[in-house]
PDB file of all heavy atoms in Angstrom:
ATOM      1  N   GLU P   1       0.897  -1.243   0.032  1.00  0.00           N
ATOM      2  CA  GLU P   1       0.035   0.026   0.053  1.00  0.00           C
ATOM      3  C   GLU P   1       0.844   1.238   0.002  1.00  0.00           C
ATOM      4  O   GLU P   1       0.548   2.268  -0.732  1.00  0.00           O
ATOM      5  CB  GLU P   1      -0.895  -0.038   1.228  1.00  0.00           C
ATOM      6  CG  GLU P   1      -1.885   1.114   1.126  1.00  0.00           C
ATOM      7  CD  GLU P   1      -2.975   1.012   2.247  1.00  0.00           C
ATOM      8  OE1 GLU P   1      -3.334  -0.110   2.594  1.00  0.00           O
ATOM      9  OE2 GLU P   1      -3.433   2.175   2.683  1.00  0.00           O
ATOM     10  N   GLU P   2       1.907   1.324   0.808  1.00  0.00           N
ATOM     11  CA  GLU P   2       2.854   2.414   0.839  1.00  0.00           C
ATOM     12  C   GLU P   2       3.486   2.677  -0.440  1.00  0.00           C
ATOM     13  O   GLU P   2       3.547   3.797  -1.025  1.00  0.00           O
ATOM     14  CB  GLU P   2       3.910   2.082   1.958  1.00  0.00           C
ATOM     15  CG  GLU P   2       5.138   3.013   1.979  1.00  0.00           C
ATOM     16  CD  GLU P   2       6.240   2.425   2.760  1.00  0.00           C
ATOM     17  OE1 GLU P   2       6.105   1.477   3.475  1.00  0.00           O
ATOM     18  OE2 GLU P   2       7.449   2.968   2.504  1.00  0.00           O
ATOM     19  N   ILE P   3       3.951   1.584  -1.126  1.00  0.00           N
ATOM     20  CA  ILE P   3       4.733   1.677  -2.390  1.00  0.00           C
ATOM     21  C   ILE P   3       3.681   2.101  -3.557  1.00  0.00           C
ATOM     22  O   ILE P   3       4.028   2.830  -4.427  1.00  0.00           O
ATOM     23  CB  ILE P   3       5.496   0.415  -2.705  1.00  0.00           C
ATOM     24  CG1 ILE P   3       6.638   0.318  -1.674  1.00  0.00           C
ATOM     25  CG2 ILE P   3       6.020   0.455  -4.103  1.00  0.00           C
ATOM     26  CD1 ILE P   3       7.359  -0.960  -1.665  1.00  0.00           C
ATOM     27  N   SER P   4       2.511   1.587  -3.395  1.00  0.00           N
ATOM     28  CA  SER P   4       1.564   1.837  -4.504  1.00  0.00           C
ATOM     29  C   SER P   4       1.109   3.310  -4.455  1.00  0.00           C
ATOM     30  O   SER P   4       0.626   3.714  -5.550  1.00  0.00           O
ATOM     31  CB  SER P   4       0.259   0.938  -4.329  1.00  0.00           C
ATOM     32  OG  SER P   4      -0.500   1.268  -3.216  1.00  0.00           O
ATOM     33  N   LEU P   5       1.319   4.015  -3.443  1.00  0.00           N
ATOM     34  CA  LEU P   5       1.033   5.478  -3.356  1.00  0.00           C
ATOM     35  C   LEU P   5       2.029   6.265  -4.117  1.00  0.00           C
ATOM     36  O   LEU P   5       1.814   7.450  -4.339  1.00  0.00           O
ATOM     37  CB  LEU P   5       0.795   5.909  -1.973  1.00  0.00           C
ATOM     38  CG  LEU P   5      -0.335   5.378  -1.146  1.00  0.00           C
ATOM     39  CD1 LEU P   5      -0.402   5.720   0.257  1.00  0.00           C
ATOM     40  CD2 LEU P   5      -1.699   5.642  -1.834  1.00  0.00           C
ATOM     41  N   LEU P   6       3.288   5.698  -4.317  1.00  0.00           N
ATOM     42  CA  LEU P   6       4.285   6.408  -5.007  1.00  0.00           C
ATOM     43  C   LEU P   6       4.111   6.433  -6.508  1.00  0.00           C
ATOM     44  O   LEU P   6       3.551   5.515  -7.121  1.00  0.00           O
ATOM     45  CB  LEU P   6       5.641   5.789  -4.797  1.00  0.00           C
ATOM     46  CG  LEU P   6       6.195   5.634  -3.305  1.00  0.00           C
ATOM     47  CD1 LEU P   6       7.441   4.853  -3.243  1.00  0.00           C
ATOM     48  CD2 LEU P   6       6.348   7.042  -2.743  1.00  0.00           C
ATOM     49  N   SER P   7       4.437   7.539  -7.196  1.00  0.00           N
ATOM     50  CA  SER P   7       4.349   7.640  -8.636  1.00  0.00           C
ATOM     51  C   SER P   7       5.393   6.666  -9.174  1.00  0.00           C
ATOM     52  O   SER P   7       6.431   6.378  -8.539  1.00  0.00           O
ATOM     53  CB  SER P   7       4.557   9.037  -9.127  1.00  0.00           C
ATOM     54  OG  SER P   7       5.925   9.410  -8.993  1.00  0.00           O
ATOM     55  N   ILE P   8       5.258   6.248 -10.444  1.00  0.00           N
ATOM     56  CA  ILE P   8       6.243   5.354 -11.017  1.00  0.00           C
ATOM     57  C   ILE P   8       7.577   6.122 -11.122  1.00  0.00           C
ATOM     58  O   ILE P   8       8.630   5.462 -11.036  1.00  0.00           O
ATOM     59  CB  ILE P   8       5.729   4.806 -12.393  1.00  0.00           C
ATOM     60  CG1 ILE P   8       6.744   3.665 -12.902  1.00  0.00           C
ATOM     61  CG2 ILE P   8       5.651   5.894 -13.457  1.00  0.00           C
ATOM     62  CD1 ILE P   8       6.790   2.393 -11.869  1.00  0.00           C
ATOM     63  N   ASP P   9       7.549   7.394 -11.403  1.00  0.00           N
ATOM     64  CA  ASP P   9       8.728   8.217 -11.460  1.00  0.00           C
ATOM     65  C   ASP P   9       9.497   8.211 -10.128  1.00  0.00           C
ATOM     66  O   ASP P   9      10.729   8.119 -10.103  1.00  0.00           O
ATOM     67  CB  ASP P   9       8.513   9.630 -11.925  1.00  0.00           C
ATOM     68  CG  ASP P   9       8.037   9.685 -13.314  1.00  0.00           C
ATOM     69  OD1 ASP P   9       8.540   8.935 -14.171  1.00  0.00           O
ATOM     70  OD2 ASP P   9       7.204  10.588 -13.709  1.00  0.00           O
ATOM     71  N   ARG P  10       8.715   8.343  -9.046  1.00  0.00           N
ATOM     72  CA  ARG P  10       9.413   8.201  -7.712  1.00  0.00           C
ATOM     73  C   ARG P  10      10.008   6.813  -7.438  1.00  0.00           C
ATOM     74  O   ARG P  10      11.093   6.698  -6.861  1.00  0.00           O
ATOM     75  CB  ARG P  10       8.387   8.568  -6.687  1.00  0.00           C
ATOM     76  CG  ARG P  10       8.910   8.775  -5.262  1.00  0.00           C
ATOM     77  CD  ARG P  10       9.707  10.030  -5.136  1.00  0.00           C
ATOM     78  NE  ARG P  10      10.331  10.166  -3.926  1.00  0.00           N
ATOM     79  CZ  ARG P  10      11.700  10.190  -3.644  1.00  0.00           C
ATOM     80  NH1 ARG P  10      12.495  10.125  -4.699  1.00  0.00           N
ATOM     81  NH2 ARG P  10      12.151  10.251  -2.415  1.00  0.00           N
ATOM     82  N   ILE P  11       9.304   5.724  -7.918  1.00  0.00           N
ATOM     83  CA  ILE P  11       9.813   4.460  -7.734  1.00  0.00           C
ATOM     84  C   ILE P  11      11.139   4.299  -8.570  1.00  0.00           C
ATOM     85  O   ILE P  11      12.202   3.717  -8.040  1.00  0.00           O
ATOM     86  CB  ILE P  11       8.792   3.397  -8.159  1.00  0.00           C
ATOM     87  CG1 ILE P  11       7.651   3.338  -7.174  1.00  0.00           C
ATOM     88  CG2 ILE P  11       9.361   1.923  -8.365  1.00  0.00           C
ATOM     89  CD1 ILE P  11       6.400   2.567  -7.556  1.00  0.00           C
ATOM     90  N   PHE P  12      11.135   4.833  -9.764  1.00  0.00           N
ATOM     91  CA  PHE P  12      12.393   4.805 -10.573  1.00  0.00           C
ATOM     92  C   PHE P  12      13.509   5.510  -9.873  1.00  0.00           C
ATOM     93  O   PHE P  12      14.660   5.056  -9.796  1.00  0.00           O
ATOM     94  CB  PHE P  12      12.123   5.484 -11.910  1.00  0.00           C
ATOM     95  CG  PHE P  12      11.315   4.701 -12.948  1.00  0.00           C
ATOM     96  CD1 PHE P  12      10.721   5.364 -13.968  1.00  0.00           C
ATOM     97  CD2 PHE P  12      11.139   3.391 -12.865  1.00  0.00           C
ATOM     98  CE1 PHE P  12       9.965   4.740 -14.865  1.00  0.00           C
ATOM     99  CE2 PHE P  12      10.325   2.706 -13.717  1.00  0.00           C
ATOM    100  CZ  PHE P  12       9.739   3.395 -14.813  1.00  0.00           C
ATOM    101  N   ASP P  13      13.151   6.626  -9.262  1.00  0.00           N
ATOM    102  CA  ASP P  13      14.238   7.464  -8.515  1.00  0.00           C
ATOM    103  C   ASP P  13      14.742   6.618  -7.377  1.00  0.00           C
ATOM    104  O   ASP P  13      16.005   6.645  -7.141  1.00  0.00           O
ATOM    105  CB  ASP P  13      13.600   8.744  -7.999  1.00  0.00           C
ATOM    106  CG  ASP P  13      13.239   9.812  -8.997  1.00  0.00           C
ATOM    107  OD1 ASP P  13      13.805   9.696 -10.152  1.00  0.00           O
ATOM    108  OD2 ASP P  13      12.569  10.789  -8.664  1.00  0.00           O
ATOM    109  N   HIS P  14      13.906   5.902  -6.621  1.00  0.00           N
ATOM    110  CA  HIS P  14      14.422   5.067  -5.571  1.00  0.00           C
ATOM    111  C   HIS P  14      15.359   4.004  -6.094  1.00  0.00           C
ATOM    112  O   HIS P  14      16.401   3.700  -5.532  1.00  0.00           O
ATOM    113  CB  HIS P  14      13.261   4.432  -4.795  1.00  0.00           C
ATOM    114  CG  HIS P  14      12.582   5.334  -3.802  1.00  0.00           C
ATOM    115  ND1 HIS P  14      13.233   5.713  -2.611  1.00  0.00           N
ATOM    116  CD2 HIS P  14      11.420   5.844  -3.796  1.00  0.00           C
ATOM    117  CE1 HIS P  14      12.370   6.429  -1.897  1.00  0.00           C
ATOM    118  NE2 HIS P  14      11.262   6.590  -2.642  1.00  0.00           N
ATOM    119  N   ILE P  15      14.916   3.289  -7.166  1.00  0.00           N
ATOM    120  CA  ILE P  15      15.725   2.260  -7.635  1.00  0.00           C
ATOM    121  C   ILE P  15      17.070   2.736  -8.143  1.00  0.00           C
ATOM    122  O   ILE P  15      18.178   2.183  -7.885  1.00  0.00           O
ATOM    123  CB  ILE P  15      14.990   1.423  -8.759  1.00  0.00           C
ATOM    124  CG1 ILE P  15      13.765   0.682  -8.173  1.00  0.00           C
ATOM    125  CG2 ILE P  15      15.938   0.382  -9.479  1.00  0.00           C
ATOM    126  CD1 ILE P  15      12.916   0.114  -9.202  1.00  0.00           C
ATOM    127  N   LYS P  16      17.029   3.850  -8.952  1.00  0.00           N
ATOM    128  CA  LYS P  16      18.164   4.451  -9.469  1.00  0.00           C
ATOM    129  C   LYS P  16      19.162   4.809  -8.409  1.00  0.00           C
ATOM    130  O   LYS P  16      20.368   4.512  -8.424  1.00  0.00           O
ATOM    131  CB  LYS P  16      17.835   5.755 -10.307  1.00  0.00           C
ATOM    132  CG  LYS P  16      18.986   6.459 -10.966  1.00  0.00           C
ATOM    133  CD  LYS P  16      18.464   7.655 -11.747  1.00  0.00           C
ATOM    134  CE  LYS P  16      19.626   8.317 -12.502  1.00  0.00           C
ATOM    135  NZ  LYS P  16      20.085   9.536 -11.898  1.00  0.00           N
ATOM    136  N   SER P  17      18.650   5.483  -7.326  1.00  0.00           N
ATOM    137  CA  SER P  17      19.504   5.903  -6.238  1.00  0.00           C
ATOM    138  C   SER P  17      20.092   4.612  -5.515  1.00  0.00           C
ATOM    139  O   SER P  17      21.292   4.676  -5.145  1.00  0.00           O
ATOM    140  CB  SER P  17      18.642   6.665  -5.167  1.00  0.00           C
ATOM    141  OG  SER P  17      19.379   7.022  -4.038  1.00  0.00           O
ATOM    142  N   SER P  18      19.319   3.612  -5.302  1.00  0.00           N
ATOM    143  CA  SER P  18      19.809   2.365  -4.700  1.00  0.00           C
ATOM    144  C   SER P  18      20.874   1.759  -5.524  1.00  0.00           C
ATOM    145  O   SER P  18      21.932   1.218  -4.985  1.00  0.00           O
ATOM    146  CB  SER P  18      18.681   1.398  -4.523  1.00  0.00           C
ATOM    147  OG  SER P  18      17.778   1.919  -3.533  1.00  0.00           O
ATOM    148  N   LEU P  19      20.771   1.786  -6.928  1.00  0.00           N
ATOM    149  CA  LEU P  19      21.786   1.257  -7.782  1.00  0.00           C
ATOM    150  C   LEU P  19      23.096   2.034  -7.674  1.00  0.00           C
ATOM    151  O   LEU P  19      24.142   1.496  -7.590  1.00  0.00           O
ATOM    152  CB  LEU P  19      21.278   1.110  -9.215  1.00  0.00           C
ATOM    153  CG  LEU P  19      20.241   0.120  -9.505  1.00  0.00           C
ATOM    154  CD1 LEU P  19      19.593   0.385 -10.907  1.00  0.00           C
ATOM    155  CD2 LEU P  19      20.865  -1.349  -9.484  1.00  0.00           C
ATOM    156  N   GLU P  20      22.923   3.414  -7.772  1.00  0.00           N
ATOM    157  CA  GLU P  20      24.115   4.227  -7.827  1.00  0.00           C
ATOM    158  C   GLU P  20      24.855   4.204  -6.451  1.00  0.00           C
ATOM    159  O   GLU P  20      26.005   4.398  -6.438  1.00  0.00           O
ATOM    160  CB  GLU P  20      23.593   5.714  -8.183  1.00  0.00           C
ATOM    161  CG  GLU P  20      23.215   5.890  -9.586  1.00  0.00           C
ATOM    162  CD  GLU P  20      22.575   7.215  -9.843  1.00  0.00           C
ATOM    163  OE1 GLU P  20      22.069   7.955  -8.965  1.00  0.00           O
ATOM    164  OE2 GLU P  20      22.630   7.518 -10.994  1.00  0.00           O
ATOM    165  N   ASN P  21      24.071   4.044  -5.377  1.00  0.00           N
ATOM    166  CA  ASN P  21      24.765   4.061  -4.037  1.00  0.00           C
ATOM    167  C   ASN P  21      25.098   2.571  -3.631  1.00  0.00           C
ATOM    168  O   ASN P  21      25.462   2.384  -2.436  1.00  0.00           O
ATOM    169  CB  ASN P  21      23.854   4.585  -3.099  1.00  0.00           C
ATOM    170  CG  ASN P  21      23.590   6.107  -3.246  1.00  0.00           C
ATOM    171  OD1 ASN P  21      24.626   6.842  -3.543  1.00  0.00           O
ATOM    172  ND2 ASN P  21      22.361   6.612  -3.182  1.00  0.00           N
ATOM    173  N   GLU P  22      25.124   1.735  -4.583  1.00  0.00           N
ATOM    174  CA  GLU P  22      25.590   0.297  -4.422  1.00  0.00           C
ATOM    175  C   GLU P  22      24.718  -0.478  -3.337  1.00  0.00           C
ATOM    176  O   GLU P  22      25.282  -1.448  -2.719  1.00  0.00           O
ATOM    177  CB  GLU P  22      27.004   0.274  -4.086  1.00  0.00           C
ATOM    178  CG  GLU P  22      27.880   0.794  -5.185  1.00  0.00           C
ATOM    179  CD  GLU P  22      29.391   0.712  -4.954  1.00  0.00           C
ATOM    180  OE1 GLU P  22      29.840   0.141  -3.950  1.00  0.00           O
ATOM    181  OE2 GLU P  22      30.137   1.159  -5.922  1.00  0.00           O
ATOM    182  N   MET P  23      23.571  -0.023  -3.062  1.00  0.00           N
ATOM    183  CA  MET P  23      22.716  -0.756  -2.097  1.00  0.00           C
ATOM    184  C   MET P  23      22.219  -2.060  -2.694  1.00  0.00           C
ATOM    185  O   MET P  23      21.790  -2.950  -1.937  1.00  0.00           O
ATOM    186  CB  MET P  23      21.537   0.182  -1.691  1.00  0.00           C
ATOM    187  CG  MET P  23      21.943   1.360  -0.882  1.00  0.00           C
ATOM    188  SD  MET P  23      20.607   2.509  -0.665  1.00  0.00           S
ATOM    189  CE  MET P  23      19.360   1.600   0.200  1.00  0.00           C
ATOM    190  N   LEU P  24      22.265  -2.199  -3.980  1.00  0.00           N
ATOM    191  CA  LEU P  24      21.785  -3.345  -4.704  1.00  0.00           C
ATOM    192  C   LEU P  24      23.058  -4.185  -5.340  1.00  0.00           C
ATOM    193  O   LEU P  24      22.830  -4.902  -6.252  1.00  0.00           O
ATOM    194  CB  LEU P  24      20.840  -3.059  -5.742  1.00  0.00           C
ATOM    195  CG  LEU P  24      19.486  -2.422  -5.212  1.00  0.00           C
ATOM    196  CD1 LEU P  24      18.684  -1.837  -6.326  1.00  0.00           C
ATOM    197  CD2 LEU P  24      18.676  -3.472  -4.397  1.00  0.00           C
ATOM    198  N   HIS P  25      24.170  -3.914  -4.769  1.00  0.00           N
ATOM    199  CA  HIS P  25      25.373  -4.487  -5.325  1.00  0.00           C
ATOM    200  C   HIS P  25      25.315  -5.998  -5.299  1.00  0.00           C
ATOM    201  O   HIS P  25      25.808  -6.668  -6.334  1.00  0.00           O
ATOM    202  CB  HIS P  25      26.632  -3.995  -4.486  1.00  0.00           C
ATOM    203  CG  HIS P  25      27.771  -3.736  -5.310  1.00  0.00           C
ATOM    204  ND1 HIS P  25      27.832  -2.822  -6.356  1.00  0.00           N
ATOM    205  CD2 HIS P  25      29.036  -4.200  -5.211  1.00  0.00           C
ATOM    206  CE1 HIS P  25      29.042  -2.811  -6.865  1.00  0.00           C
ATOM    207  NE2 HIS P  25      29.829  -3.549  -6.134  1.00  0.00           N
ATOM    208  N   SER P  26      24.799  -6.627  -4.238  1.00  0.00           N
ATOM    209  CA  SER P  26      24.652  -8.069  -4.236  1.00  0.00           C
ATOM    210  C   SER P  26      23.799  -8.632  -5.250  1.00  0.00           C
ATOM    211  O   SER P  26      24.037  -9.625  -5.885  1.00  0.00           O
ATOM    212  CB  SER P  26      24.294  -8.559  -2.783  1.00  0.00           C
ATOM    213  OG  SER P  26      23.027  -8.195  -2.513  1.00  0.00           O
ATOM    214  N   SER P  27      22.713  -7.869  -5.561  1.00  0.00           N
ATOM    215  CA  SER P  27      21.728  -8.299  -6.636  1.00  0.00           C
ATOM    216  C   SER P  27      22.408  -8.233  -7.981  1.00  0.00           C
ATOM    217  O   SER P  27      22.233  -9.134  -8.829  1.00  0.00           O
ATOM    218  CB  SER P  27      20.541  -7.460  -6.629  1.00  0.00           C
ATOM    219  OG  SER P  27      19.805  -7.526  -5.438  1.00  0.00           O
ATOM    220  N   ILE P  28      23.249  -7.197  -8.218  1.00  0.00           N
ATOM    221  CA  ILE P  28      23.987  -7.119  -9.549  1.00  0.00           C
ATOM    222  C   ILE P  28      24.968  -8.238  -9.589  1.00  0.00           C
ATOM    223  O   ILE P  28      25.170  -8.878 -10.669  1.00  0.00           O
ATOM    224  CB  ILE P  28      24.727  -5.728  -9.674  1.00  0.00           C
ATOM    225  CG1 ILE P  28      23.564  -4.642  -9.834  1.00  0.00           C
ATOM    226  CG2 ILE P  28      25.483  -5.666 -10.930  1.00  0.00           C
ATOM    227  CD1 ILE P  28      24.135  -3.239  -9.818  1.00  0.00           C
ATOM    228  N   GLY P  29      25.662  -8.593  -8.509  1.00  0.00           N
ATOM    229  CA  GLY P  29      26.624  -9.653  -8.451  1.00  0.00           C
ATOM    230  C   GLY P  29      25.928 -11.030  -8.860  1.00  0.00           C
ATOM    231  O   GLY P  29      26.517 -11.827  -9.550  1.00  0.00           O
ATOM    232  N   LYS P  30      24.738 -11.234  -8.251  1.00  0.00           N
ATOM    233  CA  LYS P  30      24.035 -12.407  -8.586  1.00  0.00           C
ATOM    234  C   LYS P  30      23.548 -12.523 -10.055  1.00  0.00           C
ATOM    235  O   LYS P  30      23.739 -13.485 -10.708  1.00  0.00           O
ATOM    236  CB  LYS P  30      22.843 -12.564  -7.781  1.00  0.00           C
ATOM    237  CG  LYS P  30      23.082 -12.854  -6.254  1.00  0.00           C
ATOM    238  CD  LYS P  30      21.845 -12.736  -5.401  1.00  0.00           C
ATOM    239  CE  LYS P  30      22.174 -12.884  -3.910  1.00  0.00           C
ATOM    240  NZ  LYS P  30      21.033 -12.593  -3.042  1.00  0.00           N
TER     241      LYS P  30
END
């Protein structure tokens, strides 16, 4: 419910930021 209230652009921003800040480094490694 919390996430569904975000615009798709805001969701993209979160993913982009997480990728750039290496928060998803293990996922990229996999």
Side-chain angles (χ1 to χ4, degrees):
E1 187 172 325
E2 168 196 345
I3 293 171
S4 69
L5 295 174
L6 299 173
S7 70
I8 192 62
D9 291 324
R10 189 72 184 116
I11 292 171
F12 288 159
D13 288 344
H14 279 291
I15 296 172
K16 181 178 185 257
S17 177
S18 293
L19 288 167
E20 291 174 335
N21 293 317
E22 299 183 1
M23 293 171 58
L24 298 167
H25 219 56
S26 66
S27 294
I28 295 173
K30 291 173 187 172

